[in-house]
Amino acid sequence: MSTTTPMSRPKPAAEKPSTPTAEKLEESKGERAMRRRHLRGRLDFKYSPYLYISPFFILFALVGLFPLIYTFVVSINDWDLLGGAGDWVGLDNYKAELASPLFWNSLFNTFSIFLLSAIPQLVVATFIAAMLDQNIRAKTFWRMSVLVPYVVTPVAVTLIFSTAFDEKYGLINNLLGALNLDAIAWKTEVFPSHMAIATMVNWRWTGYNALILLAAMQAVPRELHESAAIDGAGAIRRFFSITLPSIRPTMIFVIITATIGGLQIFTEPKLFNPSSSVPGGPDRQYQTTVLYLWDLAFNRGDFGRASAVAWILFLIIIVIGVINFLISGTIASSSEQKKLRRAVNRADKRARNRFASLQTGSAKDE
């Protein structure tokens, strides 16, 4: 047995790293540049849309969301106009306002004026839009003329109508006197004052809503009207069966915006009787909720309760807007179901008539 140990082999010499050539360096640089361009392209495709619309959300956060949150913070504190933030009171401001008869009086006035203005306004606006949608002469003139009241400032509108509805020397009572009718207390009684303020709102906003509805009516295909006219449908039937269902989304938009504007009415009742020491009439006959809020904040200096009223009104508007949307959606779905049912019935009737005619023809052949 050999006792000799194997001789250790010499280790191979370590390979020296080969120095990259200029071509490999250029190739690696090109790959890195391509990867960077690919990454930038993915980031641009994924995030650039958010960057483009970010100014709107930034402005909304600064102008819309922050005041809303700040108003809620003020509403849960005993906040004074001059003294600033006081003690934290929680929901006491909300409880005090919900128990205040002045708040409920303002809410009643707001809803009364809103109903007296919104319903006639939408009906008349739809009628005017339907008239302007017809083939009449000087279309542009008539369409622009209905927008003139919207151009007039609310202050000017209120001053003009306040003079016309003056109880002693106003134009309306003078005309009633010429007709041997009794004068109406437009500024001291509840319902007449609501009618007068609703008249201002209607005069200013009817033309604006009419143009929005007219734009929607212009988008309805004329072929539908022509087909219905050939089938014998009259103008009124075509209006209720084709025009109104076709402009349903625009009608919902107009109803919701009219609701929001009607519940936030301020300028017209504020300037309707400038000589009154109490905003909204001597006995608060037409003091709306926003006017009551303004009175709390700037006449009584109670910012906490004024902010609570603002938040209650905000929640009321949201609830009414949701109710309007649900009612409109229910009416729309029911009308769609009716249209589908009618189409199915017409198809079934045509199939029966065809089957009957085929049977009659086969019997004659036999």
Side-chain angles (χ1 to χ4, degrees):
M1 211 175 153
S2 172
T3 56
T4 59
T5 58
M7 295 179 63
S8 58
R9 297 180 179 177
K11 294 182 179 179
E15 296 182 357
K16 293 182 180 179
S18 60
T19 54
T21 61
E23 294 178 352
K24 290 185 177 179
L25 287 175
E26 290 295 330
E27 186 178 352
S28 61
K29 285 182 180 178
E31 291 177 353
R32 287 198 296 271
M34 187 179 296
R35 284 198 295 270
R36 284 197 297 268
R37 284 197 298 270
H38 181 67
L39 181 61
R40 283 199 298 269
R42 289 183 58 190
L43 293 176
D44 180 62
F45 180 76
K46 195 172 183 179
Y47 296 107
S48 59
Y50 299 102
L51 183 64
Y52 297 148
I53 61 173
S54 60
F56 166 76
F57 289 103
I58 293 173
L59 286 176
F60 173 74
L62 292 175
V63 181
L65 192 60
F66 173 73
L68 195 64
I69 297 173
Y70 189 73
T71 302
F72 180 73
V73 173
V74 174
S75 70
I76 56 176
N77 286 277
D78 186 13
W79 204 293
D80 186 74
L81 174 62
L82 300 177
D87 298 332
W88 184 79
V89 295
L91 300 178
D92 288 351
N93 287 329
Y94 292 88
K95 295 177 182 176
E97 285 307 316
L98 292 175
S100 171
L102 296 181
F103 169 74
W104 291 107
N105 174 67
S106 70
L107 202 61
F108 167 76
N109 294 335
T110 301
F111 274 90
S112 175
I113 296 172
F114 161 65
L115 293 176
L116 289 173
S117 60
I119 295 175
Q121 180 186 139
L122 293 176
V123 173
V124 176
T126 306
F127 176 76
I128 293 174
M131 292 296 104
L132 294 177
D133 191 36
Q134 304 300 316
N135 189 18
I136 58 176
R137 292 184 177 180
K139 290 181 182 177
T140 306
F141 171 76
W142 294 113
R143 290 173 183 175
M144 296 305 297
S145 63
V146 299
L147 196 62
V148 171
Y150 179 72
V151 179
V152 183
T153 61
V155 176
V157 174
T158 307
L159 292 177
I160 293 170
F161 278 86
S162 175
T163 305
F165 284 106
D166 189 78
E167 296 181 356
K168 291 184 179 178
Y169 309 107
L171 173 65
I172 308 297
N173 278 348
N174 286 335
L175 291 175
L176 293 175
L179 297 173
N180 293 325
L181 297 175
D182 295 333
I184 298 176
W186 297 106
K187 297 185 179 180
T188 51
E189 294 185 0
V190 176
F191 185 71
S193 61
H194 293 184
M195 284 290 295
I197 294 173
T199 303
M200 301 180 211
V201 178
N202 290 332
W203 186 81
R204 185 162 186 263
W205 289 99
T206 301
Y208 174 81
N209 290 325
L211 283 188
I212 294 177
L213 295 173
L214 174 63
M217 291 180 185
Q218 294 280 300
V220 179
R222 296 295 171 186
E223 292 80 7
L224 294 177
H225 288 278
E226 292 171 359
S227 302
I230 292 172
D231 291 340
I236 297 176
R237 177 67 183 276
R238 293 200 303 273
F239 177 75
F240 284 101
S241 299
I242 296 176
T243 305
L244 281 184
S246 300
I247 64 169
R248 186 177 56 250
T250 307
M251 185 65 78
I252 293 173
F253 169 77
V254 170
I255 290 173
I256 291 177
T257 53
T259 303
I260 295 172
L263 296 180
Q264 293 180 343
I265 185 170
F266 172 77
T267 306
E268 288 83 356
K270 177 68 175 64
L271 299 178
F272 185 52
N273 189 6
S275 61
S276 175
S277 58
V278 179
D283 294 328
R284 304 177 189 271
Q285 299 94 331
Y286 47 89
Q287 185 181 66
T288 59
T289 303
V290 179
L291 192 55
Y292 172 63
L293 182 158
W294 180 85
D295 186 33
L296 276 176
F298 298 102
N299 286 345
R300 306 187 205 177
D302 196 342
F303 264 36
R305 291 180 65 172
S307 300
V309 173
W311 256 90
I312 293 172
L313 182 62
F314 172 69
L315 296 175
I316 290 173
I317 291 174
I318 289 180
V319 170
I320 293 178
V322 171
I323 291 173
N324 278 338
F325 180 77
L326 293 177
I327 292 175
S328 304
T330 304
I331 295 173
S333 61
S334 62
S335 64
E336 291 292 337
Q337 290 176 359
K338 287 180 180 178
K339 288 169 63 179
L340 180 62
R341 199 179 302 120
R342 288 173 186 168
V344 170
N345 291 333
R346 284 197 297 269
D348 183 59
K349 187 177 180 180
R350 284 196 296 269
R352 288 181 181 179
N353 293 335
R354 188 174 181 183
F355 180 71
S357 62
L358 290 175
Q359 280 187 332
T360 305
S362 60
K364 288 181 178 178
D365 294 338
E366 291 174 356

